[in-house]
Structures are given as structure tokens and as C-alpha cells.
Amino acid sequence: MRPLVPILLCALLAAGCNHDPKSAAPPAAQVRAKLAGAPAPLASLHGQAGELLPGGAGAFRARLAGLRGHPVVVNKWASWCPPCRQEFPYFQRVSVDLGRAVAFVGVDSNDNSSDARAFLARYPVSFPSYEDPDQKVAKVFNGHVVFPTTAYYTRTGRLEFIHQGGYASEARLREDIGRYAR
């Protein structure tokens, strides 16, 4: 029995590492109500909720330029990334709570589109993500090294802060939004 203990411990740890959090997406009617009346550039993002957008770095830069006047939170993620899965429910809630004042944009890097679409179906968000199979979009905000990475832009379009790695809590994400997305 004693030789089995390390094997059982490893199996339990591995099972815990593969645990996916539950979706935290508010009901669609609640999302629509909370985001109603958002300024046009933010409403445009909400109109593309959960979509994977093509266009690469050029389209991403154009979107950032179109969002000037609003703080922007960019989250780089991938469907295969455990820390991304862990923090995604925070983005589901926070993007709805703050989506009338703060722009949220996703960047799906080093992923394939079918896995990414399945991930977004499981964890719907109120904003689109740009396809980034070669991390050229992530390089725009120096987020090409670590998964996940969250970048914060000010209203003037200046890159203010880069958070590398996953958020351990929704409170920390909200704190950084308050501090850097202004």
C-alpha cells in the first residue's frame, strides 16, 4: 500500500490541475441591460462579443486607435492554458460590470480557431478576441512571452502596464483596472 501513496498523490494533483472553473457569464438579458447605452466604440465591441476576429496586428492597432478616449484592457489567452481558464470567469464578470466605461479586447494566441471557439462558447465574454496564431498581435503590447498576459492602456492610448501571468482573484483584476486603465 505504501508504494501506491505517491502515485495516488500525483494522480490527485494532476486531476486538480485539469480542473476547469465554471463559467461566470451573467445571463444574456442581464448583460444587455448592463451594457445598454455604452458609447459607440464600446458598443461596437459588445456587438462582436465572443467573436474571433481576423486581421492581425494591423486590425488590432486600428481597433486600439478607435478606442482612444476610453481605457482599454487587453487579455491575451489560449484555450490550452490552465491559468487562462482559471482567470477567464473574472473577465466574464468584470467586462460586463465595467463595459460601459472600459473597453475589453481579447487576443487568442498560439491556439487553433476551433479550440478557441469552443472555449468562447463555454466561457462567453462581452468582447471580441483577435486571432493571433503567431503572436504578432501580442508583440504590439509586449505580451508575447507569458500566458496569460493583460495589458492596460490609458484613455490617451498609452500602454500603462503589463500584468504577466494569471490573476489569482477577481479583486486583483479589478484593482489593476482601477489603477492602470484610466
Side-chain angles (χ1 to χ4, degrees):
M1 177 71 172
R2 196 167 199 179
L4 290 178
V5 172
I7 294 169
L8 290 173
L9 281 174
C10 288
L12 287 172
L13 286 173
C17 290
N18 291 329
H19 172 72
D20 282 342
K22 290 187 178 193
S23 175
Q30 183 181 350
V31 171
R32 284 191 298 276
K34 280 192 166 193
L35 298 176
L42 302 183
S44 175
L45 288 172
H46 305 148
Q48 295 175 316
E51 290 183 27
L52 280 178
L53 304 177
F60 178 75
R61 281 189 187 99
R63 176 55 66 90
L64 287 178
L67 292 169
R68 287 231 171 94
H70 304 280
V72 180
V73 177
V74 178
N75 180 247
K76 182 189 84 168
W77 60 275
S79 63
W80 50 262
C81 164
C84 301
R85 288 192 302 267
Q86 186 64 39
E87 74 174 8
F88 224 71
Y90 309 149
F91 283 94
Q92 287 180 295
R93 285 188 293 266
V94 173
S95 66
V96 172
D97 289 349
L98 303 178
R100 290 181 56 174
V102 177
F104 289 83
V105 178
V107 175
D108 175 41
S109 291
N110 278 3
D111 211 349
N112 71 63
S113 59
S114 62
D115 288 347
R117 281 178 180 52
F119 181 82
L120 289 170
R122 182 172 178 174
Y123 298 101
V125 287
S126 63
F127 54 89
S129 292
Y130 283 87
E131 292 177 310
D132 187 28
D134 53 10
Q135 293 210 71
K136 289 181 180 174
V137 176
K139 286 181 182 177
V140 170
F141 55 91
N142 297 320
H144 58 286
V145 177
V146 176
F147 281 84
T149 295
T150 305
Y152 295 88
Y153 288 85
T154 65
R155 295 176 194 280
T156 63
R158 180 172 47 93
L159 180 59
E160 180 74 9
F161 180 69
I162 302 167
H163 176 89
Q164 295 185 341
Y167 275 97
S169 70
E170 184 176 323
R172 280 295 321 258
L173 172 61
R174 287 180 184 272
E175 182 181 307
D176 279 357
I177 291 170
R179 181 179 299 144
Y180 302 115
R182 41 194 168 91

